[in-house]
């Protein structure tokens, strides 16, 4: 969860015809599968798609991420540049100590990732639905770990076996100080 403070501001109240000062507002935000699913329900397009989001769509996602109750619309319009940077940094954060080594030339998926696909992965790997409130990147990492651990070991080709044997033989010759 991310906590940010939106600085106080002054605004004109149309009803009372007076200027009103608003205090700082503390917002708790959560970038999760739940937030993503709600956003996709409104816009009916993938949140993680390649298409750039409009300012309105980004602002709506921030509203959906907000766990703080009863926040007025004006507060979201008064987000500072620092607030927006903090939110973007939070959304992009890895949120895990797990890392992966990518095989050279590994294929990347062309699937369009939507909330329903992520829920499918959770069901497939028997990940409890409580994880839908985790940071989205942490959930992706768990799904990827489950996929790797459940995958059958890849058989080596003859060329890969020969290359591995050459490397092992070379290491042994070097360790023993022999030529073959």
């Amino acid at each position: 969860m991310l906590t940010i403070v939106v600085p106080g501001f002054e605004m004109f109240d149309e009803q009372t015809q007076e200027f009103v000062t608003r205090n700082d507002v503390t917002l708790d935000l959560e970038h999760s599968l739940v937030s993503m699913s709600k956003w996709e329900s409104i816009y009916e397009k993938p949140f993680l798609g390649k298409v750039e989001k409009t300012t309105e769509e980004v602002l709506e996602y921030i509203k959906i991420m907000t766990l703080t109750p009863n926040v007025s619309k004006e507060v979201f319009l008064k987000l500072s540049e620092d607030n927006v940077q903090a939110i973007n940094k939070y959304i992009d954060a890895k949120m895990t100590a797990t890392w992966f080594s990518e095989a050279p030339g590994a294929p990347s998926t062309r699937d369009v990732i939507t909330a329903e696909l992520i829920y499918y992965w959770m069901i497939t790997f028997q990940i409890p639905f409580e994880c839908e409130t985790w940071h989205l990147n942490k959930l992706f990492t768990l799904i990827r770990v489950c996929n790797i651990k459940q995958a059958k070991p890849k058989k080596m080709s003859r060329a890969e076996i020969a290359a591995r044997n050459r490397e092992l033989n070379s290491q042994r010759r070097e360790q023993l100080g022999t030529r073959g």
Side-chain angles (χ1 to χ4, degrees), residues 139-165:
L139 179 57
F140 280 147
T141 300
L142 176 60
I143 290 168
R144 189 167 174 191
V145 166
C146 290
N147 189 39
I148 290 169
K149 292 295 185 182
Q150 288 186 1
K152 292 180 182 174
K154 183 183 142 197
K155 291 191 177 187
M156 294 174 66
S157 69
R158 289 181 188 248
E160 290 171 326
I161 292 170
R164 186 194 63 181
N165 288 344

Side-chain angles (χ1 to χ4, degrees), residues 14-163:
E14 294 288 335
Q15 292 178 343
T16 63
Q17 297 291 312
E18 295 177 345
F19 282 97
V20 179
T21 302
R22 301 278 181 165
N23 295 330
D24 291 354
V25 178
T26 302
L27 298 178
D28 292 327
L29 306 171
E30 182 178 82
H31 173 57
S32 65
L33 179 54
V34 172
S35 301
M36 184 179 125
S37 180
K38 288 177 183 178
W39 187 90
E40 288 182 352
S41 295
I42 294 168
Y43 290 99
E44 297 180 350
K45 64 181 185 178
F47 177 79
L48 298 174
K50 303 239 186 263
V51 178
E52 192 77 21
K53 291 169 197 56
T54 66
T55 304
E56 175 191 323
E57 291 170 339
V58 171
L59 191 58
E60 186 63 29
Y61 187 66
I62 294 170
K63 288 177 188 176
I64 291 169
M65 287 173 55
T66 303
L67 301 176
T68 308
N70 305 322
V71 178
S72 67
K73 295 175 185 176
E74 295 86 25
V75 171
F76 295 103
L77 298 174
K78 299 299 182 182
L79 289 169
S80 70
E81 186 62 36
D82 288 342
N83 293 146
V84 174
Q85 286 178 358
I87 292 168
N88 286 332
K89 184 177 178 183
Y90 168 69
I91 288 173
D92 293 337
K94 194 171 113 174
M95 293 293 183
T96 177
T98 302
W99 57 274
F100 302 97
S101 63
E102 302 295 332
S108 62
T109 181
R110 292 197 175 123
D111 286 344
V112 175
I113 298 174
T114 63
E116 289 78 17
L117 182 59
I118 299 169
Y119 279 114
Y120 164 76
W121 290 335
M122 289 175 69
I123 292 166
T124 300
F125 295 123
Q126 298 176 351
I127 297 170
F129 280 117
E130 295 90 62
C131 297
E132 71 183 350
T133 59
W134 284 11
H135 188 284
L136 200 53
N137 294 337
K138 185 178 183 87
L139 179 57
F140 280 147
T141 300
L142 176 60
I143 290 168
R144 189 167 174 191
V145 166
C146 290
N147 189 39
I148 290 169
K149 292 295 185 182
Q150 288 186 1
K152 292 180 182 174
K154 183 183 142 197
K155 291 191 177 187
M156 294 174 66
S157 69
R158 289 181 188 248
E160 290 171 326
I161 292 170

